[in-house]
Amino acid sequence: MTRRQAVGITIALAFCIALFAGLIYFIRADRAEKRAAILKNPGYATGIITRVRRYKSRRVSVRYTVGGVEHLLRARVSRNFLRTHAKGDTTAVIYAKSDPANAILKARLRSSRN
């Protein structure tokens, strides 16, 4: 490998790392913005767990209704949540009154890692 190739590979690697870091930053900023919108003017609903996924990433799908309109929320959950909840159970959902499709699980809100 020549010196020119080594420099090119180093620059490409640095660019990829910077791109990946920027992507992570914008994803986290978007999540924080959505969370802030929900907490600014929250609404509360009871949702029904329609799907539980225990492999790969633990997720649940929850259907909740606001103003006669049904919404679907898919959220990552903890193992502890899955131990205490199953398909067909109800769970609390907190949504933004300005946009009821923007919601989080109340159990997820308690988590500081969100």
Side-chain angles (χ1 to χ4, degrees):
M1 178 184 307
T2 66
R3 183 177 180 158
R4 179 179 245 172
Q5 288 172 329
V7 170
I9 290 172
T10 304
I11 291 172
L13 184 61
F15 176 75
C16 289
I17 291 171
L19 185 66
F20 186 68
L23 183 65
I24 290 173
Y25 171 79
F26 284 113
I27 289 171
R28 285 187 176 181
D30 184 52
R31 284 183 183 168
E33 185 178 310
K34 287 181 180 181
R35 185 181 176 116
I38 292 169
L39 296 177
K40 183 178 180 182
N41 191 11
Y44 301 90
T46 300
I48 298 173
I49 299 173
T50 58
R51 182 177 180 209
V52 175
R53 182 172 147 179
R54 296 178 186 276
Y55 57 92
K56 291 185 183 178
S57 60
R58 295 172 300 276
R59 292 182 180 269
V60 293
S61 295
V62 178
R63 288 200 186 281
Y64 63 99
T65 305
V66 177
V69 178
E70 193 173 272
H71 299 278
L72 178 66
L73 167 65
R74 282 186 237 156
R76 285 185 162 190
V77 292
S78 67
R79 284 188 181 124
N80 194 29
F81 183 89
L82 290 178
R83 284 187 200 118
T84 58
H85 294 80
K87 184 177 177 179
D89 288 351
T90 59
T91 186
V93 176
I94 302 174
Y95 62 91
K97 286 186 179 179
S98 60
D99 179 17
N102 184 11
I104 56 176
L105 293 176
K106 185 176 181 184
R108 187 84 172 126
L109 183 64
R110 291 186 203 132
S111 171
S112 60
R113 291 183 333 155
N114 200 15

